[in-house]
Amino acid sequence: MRITSGSDSDQLITFAADEVEELVRRQPNAVLGIATGSTPEPLYAELSRRSARGLDLSGLRITCLDEYVGLSADHPQSYRHYITEHVLDPWGIDPGNAVMPVGDAPDPDAAARDFESRILAWGGIDLQILGVGPNGHIAFNEPGSAFDSRTRVVSLTPSTLEANSRFFEDEADVPRRAITQGVGTILESRRAILLAFGEGKADAVRAMAEGEATEDVPASALQRHPNAAVLIDDKAASRLRTAPASV
Ligand code: GLP
């Protein structure tokens, strides 16, 4: 895991966008794994600007990390809706080239298995973008998730329900379950870039980077990823004992 920090999150976003650009120029139909959440939004916006200026992102194949169980694709808080708005539409990608769990499938376990097999059918993920939850979760792998876990239905912890309640009018509307790529699935991505900004992520970043690799902190599994980059701003880096490299 290579950690890079910077005082200006824009620089870190440029760094990540450059890597996506380099990938798409090398391999126009690469499989790019998208994370939801507010952290990566500026990255998708930067890539949308590059697309508007002529960078062709339309051949990319897109995979999603997770989806709420029970939300239909057109629900404004569904992750399919997020990906459509921030990635597929602005980058000109055919929705048929995006693989996501079906949140409102009658059998969520079958939907999870189907999602995982579609990722494998594409030959796996070339570059996976990741965020981290304040409790150290990646995708919706909550503390206690096995490092060899696969895509499955999970129950969300109170901490995650609280963190995600800001997106819903009523806390009671926050879905209690999700379909998520497993930690093992994420570890198979050929390259991973995790973004974390702000003080609220400082404890998770420290536990992920400087604690032992433990299922109590699912993001610490990235210590075992062969090619993972962690891009953090100074606030997210503020509790690290060892100063990371600067961008
Ligand atoms: C959700 C998503 C994660 C994301 C996390 C952090 O839990 N399932 O993939 O990393 O939110 O979101 P934010 O970037 O908004 O802090």
Side-chain angles (χ1 to χ4, degrees), residues 34-41 65-68 79 129-134 137-142 156 160 163-164 166-167 180 195 197 201:
I34 294 291
T36 52
S38 29
T39 309
E41 273 182 33
L65 276 173
D66 43 18
E67 180 59 284
Y68 290 114
Y79 287 172
I129 306 297
L130 292 165
V132 63
H137 75 229
I138 41 172
F140 270 135
N141 291 285
E142 297 285 27
L156 304 179
T160 299
N164 293 352
R166 68 191 195 274
F167 298 113
T180 182
L195 302 168
F197 303 141
K201 300 292 171 72

Side-chain angles (χ1 to χ4, degrees), residues 51-88:
S51 161
R53 289 199 302 261
L55 177 67
D56 187 4
L57 298 167
S58 66
L60 284 171
R61 290 173 292 167
I62 300 295
T63 57
C64 195
L65 276 173
D66 43 18
E67 180 59 284
Y68 290 114
V69 167
L71 295 197
S72 62
D74 58 0
H75 189 289
Q77 295 308 332
S78 76
Y79 287 172
R80 175 172 279 279
H81 190 271
Y82 175 105
I83 299 286
T84 303
E85 181 183 334
H86 294 286
V87 172
L88 303 184

Side-chain angles (χ1 to χ4, degrees), residues 4-243:
T4 304
S5 74
S7 52
D8 177 3
S9 64
D10 286 350
Q11 279 179 296
L12 298 160
I13 292 298
T14 301
F15 189 94
D18 286 350
E19 189 160 327
V20 176
E21 176 166 346
E22 197 230 315
L23 173 68
V24 76
R25 289 193 187 281
R26 196 174 66 236
Q27 192 185 338
N29 72 341
V31 178
L32 178 68
I34 294 291
T36 52
S38 29
T39 309
E41 273 182 33
L43 170 62
Y44 308 144
E46 169 60 16
L47 287 163
S48 299
R49 281 190 289 276
R50 294 185 189 194
S51 161
R53 289 199 302 261
L55 177 67
D56 187 4
L57 298 167
S58 66
L60 284 171
R61 290 173 292 167
I62 300 295
T63 57
C64 195
L65 276 173
D66 43 18
E67 180 59 284
Y68 290 114
V69 167
L71 295 197
S72 62
D74 58 0
H75 189 289
Q77 295 308 332
S78 76
Y79 287 172
R80 175 172 279 279
H81 190 271
Y82 175 105
I83 299 286
T84 303
E85 181 183 334
H86 294 286
V87 172
L88 303 184
D89 284 351
W91 301 2
I93 294 175
D94 180 342
N97 280 335
V99 165
M100 294 172 223
V102 179
D104 59 350
D107 181 347
D109 294 309
R113 286 192 297 274
D114 177 61
F115 173 61
E116 172 117 0
S117 62
R118 293 183 68 193
I119 295 173
L120 293 176
W122 271 354
I125 295 166
D126 292 302
L127 169 57
Q128 177 64 59
I129 306 297
L130 292 165
V132 63
N135 65 354
H137 75 229
I138 41 172
F140 270 135
N141 291 285
E142 297 285 27
S145 297
F147 281 3
D148 62 357
S149 53
R150 311 303 307 183
T151 302
R152 67 204 185 286
V153 177
V154 293
S155 295
L156 304 179
T157 60
S159 141
T160 299
L161 293 173
E162 194 197 319
N164 293 352
S165 65
R166 68 191 195 274
F167 298 113
F168 292 82
E169 260 176 44
D170 191 332
E171 207 171 323
D173 295 338
V174 186
R176 264 50 189 162
R177 293 189 304 155
I179 296 172
T180 182
Q181 278 191 36
V183 178
T185 320
I186 292 168
L187 288 180
E188 284 170 10
S189 57
R190 284 181 274 283
R191 168 78 167 152
I193 298 180
L194 184 144
L195 302 168
F197 303 141
E199 178 99 41
K201 300 292 171 72
D203 285 332
V205 164
R206 178 173 173 172
M208 166 182 77
E210 294 186 338
E212 59 171 316
T214 164
E215 292 171 0
D216 293 341
V217 183
S220 67
L222 291 176
Q223 293 177 21
R224 300 191 181 162
H225 191 289
N227 192 13
V230 172
L231 304 180
I232 51 179
D233 68 2
D234 286 350
K235 288 186 176 139
S238 60
R239 291 189 201 134
L240 290 175
R241 280 175 298 238
T242 307

